[in-house]
Amino acid sequence: METRPRRERGILRREPVRFGRSVLGAPLDVWEPDRAASDLLVLAGTHGEEGEGVAVLSAALRSLPDGALACPVVLALNPDGLARGTRGNARGVDLNRNFPSPTWRPEPVYTRWTLADERDVELSPGAAPGSEPETAALLELIARVRPSLVLSLHAPLACVDDPAGTPLGAWLAEQGDLPRVGDVGYPTPGSLGTWGAEHEIAVVTYELPAASTDDLVRRHAPHLCAVLAGETPTR
Ligand SMILES: [Zn+2]
């Protein structure tokens, strides 16, 4: 694929569609495909302290020439968390524990201050499954788009979590030089991946390694660009 010249990559050259609003009223935007619907949805920015995933996915999207986008793209599922630098949304909810799975638990969620620390930072899974506007909006978007596969960018665990064993997961692990794993090593009740598995939607979690945004864009944006162009296997 011929990518867009770099001088033209400074802005997003297509208009998104609004699919909801955050707790604080920020727009939840999806960039719709230029071509016929694909079975893949790509998203980033579920955790607000993982802005590098948003930057890498944005770089991939801005590298695409006109007419080449083959799947819907959500750059920032948690705009309030991204604006505030918090993992959770504006109510302190870890959105990746708020999906309406039977595994959802009402107990607090514990996360790490940094990767080297214990899990001792408390967040909420929400007042109820699917309680947060960001989660509810994504579920409505998924119901409309009906993907069979969701690719979700996170950081910094440096792996491709692909419990369904998809061709896309295998391809991404090879391209990104990351291990492909069947789980992230700890329970994730109420996560998008758990909910997806219950609804026959394979969720591939692309965990970027701990590195500078500059390094990550150089190393990972090119193959994510190929994913957005529909040039890769899916499932
Ligand atoms: Zn994350």
Side-chain angles (χ1 to χ4, degrees), residues 28 64 135 180:
L28 300 174
L64 280 179
T135 314
R180 186 184 183 204

Side-chain angles (χ1 to χ4, degrees), residues 76-89:
L77 181 62
N78 181 9
D80 297 347
L82 285 154
R84 295 179 168 200
T86 59
R87 183 175 183 82
N89 71 358

Side-chain angles (χ1 to χ4, degrees), residues 208-225:
L208 292 162
S212 72
T213 300
D214 184 87
D215 283 344
L216 295 173
V217 167
R218 184 173 58 249
R219 182 71 188 84
H220 299 272
H223 51 266
L224 289 169
C225 187

Side-chain angles (χ1 to χ4, degrees), residues 47 50 87 154-155 207:
H47 289 141
E50 298 170 6
R87 183 175 183 82
H154 284 260
E207 283 273 358

Side-chain angles (χ1 to χ4, degrees), residues 149 162-171 180 202-204 234-235:
L149 182 60
D162 180 24
T166 64
L168 179 66
W171 186 86
R180 186 184 183 204
V203 177
V204 174
T234 52
R235 73 176 301 189

Side-chain angles (χ1 to χ4, degrees), residues 7 11 34-35 85 100-101 123 135 171 176-177 189 202 212 218:
R7 69 184 150 77
I11 59 170
D34 300 317
R35 308 206 297 261
S101 156
L123 286 175
T135 314
W171 186 86
D177 195 20
S212 72
R218 184 173 58 249

Side-chain angles (χ1 to χ4, degrees), residues 107-184:
E107 288 84 25
V109 176
Y110 288 92
T111 185
R112 296 177 171 113
W113 183 243
T114 76
L115 193 54
D117 296 311
E118 300 292 309
R119 295 180 182 283
D120 55 4
V121 179
E122 189 172 303
L123 286 175
S124 164
S131 60
E132 302 311 293
E134 297 90 350
T135 314
L138 182 66
L139 290 169
E140 280 178 29
L141 178 66
I142 288 173
R144 175 164 70 79
V145 172
R146 302 179 62 81
S148 67
L149 182 60
V150 175
L151 172 62
S152 179
L153 269 71
H154 284 260
L157 299 181
C159 62
V160 175
D161 179 25
D162 180 24
T166 64
L168 179 66
W171 186 86
L172 282 172
E174 189 186 323
Q175 297 294 313
D177 195 20
L178 296 168
R180 186 184 183 204
V181 300
D183 63 67
V184 287

